């Protein structure tokens, strides 16, 4: 039991440390077409992202990109054109996949460009320097504060997943019930049609005096 409890605590701490890390990705944008990044996020979560074109492969030209961020229901959260760098920040209002799309919108496209996207969600987007100054904490105490917030976030995620599981189970049970009733109805129709066919054939044979 003690070993299991220790393993559980270690797993929670590892998950918490992973949640503190930000997701930085490189996107290779082609001359034509769009590259998108999506993330499934819960409601009331802070999202902060910085993006910038890397000019190492374009020392002489300066292409620009267009950026569009949309919510799960297709609402535009952020829209920017002719950009080389930028930032978007918002608090989610609905659960689902949030989509950030990038494409070249300048005349100087060349063979495409590389774009760095630093995507931070939840506690990773929090300004811990301000928290440390406000609460007058530092060092180990600050790290423990981060872990406390991370564990709370994990707890909320588990509750969210539990609620989603309950919703999916309810939908599955309703679907199974409808399929069962449809199967019973189909079987009933087949039985009725078979009886009618038998009755019709019996009358036909009687009329022809075959039986």
């Amino acid at each position: 039991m003690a070993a299991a409890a220790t393993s559980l605590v270690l797993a929670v701490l590892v998950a918490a440390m992973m949640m503190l890390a930000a997701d930085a990705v490189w996107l290779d944008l082609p001359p034509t077409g769009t590259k998108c990044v999506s993330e499934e996020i819960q409601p009331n979560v802070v999202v902060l992202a910085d993006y910038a074109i890397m000019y190492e492969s374009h020392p002489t030209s300066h292409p620009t990109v267009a950026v569009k961020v949309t919510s799960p229901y297709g609402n535009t959260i952020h829209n920017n054109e002719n950009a080389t760098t930028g930032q978007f920040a918002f608090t989610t209002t609905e659960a689902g996949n949030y989509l950030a799309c990038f494409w070249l919108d300048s005349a100087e496209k060349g063979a495409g460009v590389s774009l760095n996207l630093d995507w931070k969600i939840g506690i990773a987007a929090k300004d811990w320097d301000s928290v440390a100054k406000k609460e007058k904490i530092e060092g180990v105490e600050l790290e423990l504060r981060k872990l406390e917030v991370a564990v709370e976030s994990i707890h909320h995620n588990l509750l969210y997943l539990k609620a989603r599981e309950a919703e999916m189970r309810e939908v599955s049970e309703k679907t199974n019930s409808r399929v069962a009733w449809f199967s019973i109805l189909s079987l009933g129709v087949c039985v009725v049609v078979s009886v009618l066919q038998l009755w019709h054939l019996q009358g036909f044979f009687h009329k022809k005096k075959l039986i």
Side-chain angles (χ1 to χ4, degrees):
M1 291 293 291
T6 303
S7 300
L8 179 60
V9 170
L10 289 175
V12 171
L13 291 176
V14 170
M17 294 303 297
M18 291 178 64
M19 292 186 66
L20 289 171
D23 294 330
V25 295
W26 285 74
L27 298 177
D28 292 322
L29 304 182
T32 58
T34 303
K35 280 288 185 74
C36 297
V37 177
S38 67
E39 186 80 24
E40 185 173 355
I41 313 174
Q42 303 177 32
N44 302 317
V45 175
V46 176
V47 178
L48 175 64
D50 296 280
Y51 53 90
I53 293 178
M54 311 308 294
Y55 283 116
E56 286 80 358
S57 58
H58 294 268
T60 56
S61 62
H62 293 81
T64 59
V65 297
V67 185
K68 186 176 182 180
V69 182
T70 55
S71 71
Y73 294 107
N75 300 318
T76 300
I77 300 173
H78 174 78
N79 192 16
N80 194 11
E81 297 179 349
N82 300 319
T84 56
T85 62
Q87 182 185 81
F88 58 85
F90 59 91
T91 300
T92 59
T93 57
E94 54 205 36
N97 280 316
Y98 286 79
L99 192 67
C101 293
F102 304 84
W103 66 92
L104 290 173
D105 65 346
S106 63
E108 300 178 355
K109 296 184 178 181
V113 298
S114 296
L115 182 137
N116 181 49
L117 174 63
D118 188 10
W119 181 287
K120 300 177 182 178
I121 300 173
I123 59 176
K126 198 167 185 176
D127 187 357
W128 289 105
D129 292 333
S130 299
V131 172
K133 291 178 181 179
K134 183 178 180 180
E135 299 185 8
K136 296 180 181 179
I137 56 177
E138 59 182 7
V140 177
E141 191 176 1
L142 177 60
E143 295 302 320
L144 290 175
R145 182 76 175 90
K146 291 181 182 179
L147 288 176
E148 180 186 357
V149 175
V151 170
E152 290 178 359
S153 180
I154 292 173
H155 178 66
H156 291 153
N157 286 337
L158 291 175
L159 293 178
Y160 170 73
L161 292 175
K162 186 176 180 180
R164 287 291 300 274
E165 182 186 3
E167 291 176 3
M168 294 300 294
R169 190 187 305 114
E170 183 179 357
V171 171
S172 178
E173 290 175 354
K174 287 183 178 179
T175 302
N176 291 337
S177 177
R178 290 173 181 173
V179 170
W181 279 109
F182 180 76
S183 300
I184 293 173
L185 180 62
S186 300
L187 181 60
V189 170
C190 290
V191 171
V192 171
V193 170
S194 299
V195 171
L196 290 176
Q197 286 180 336
L198 182 61
W199 176 76
H200 175 73
L201 289 173
Q202 190 176 15
F204 174 77
F205 288 143
H206 275 296
K207 185 180 296 185
K208 296 294 184 179
K209 298 181 179 179
L210 295 177
I211 57 174

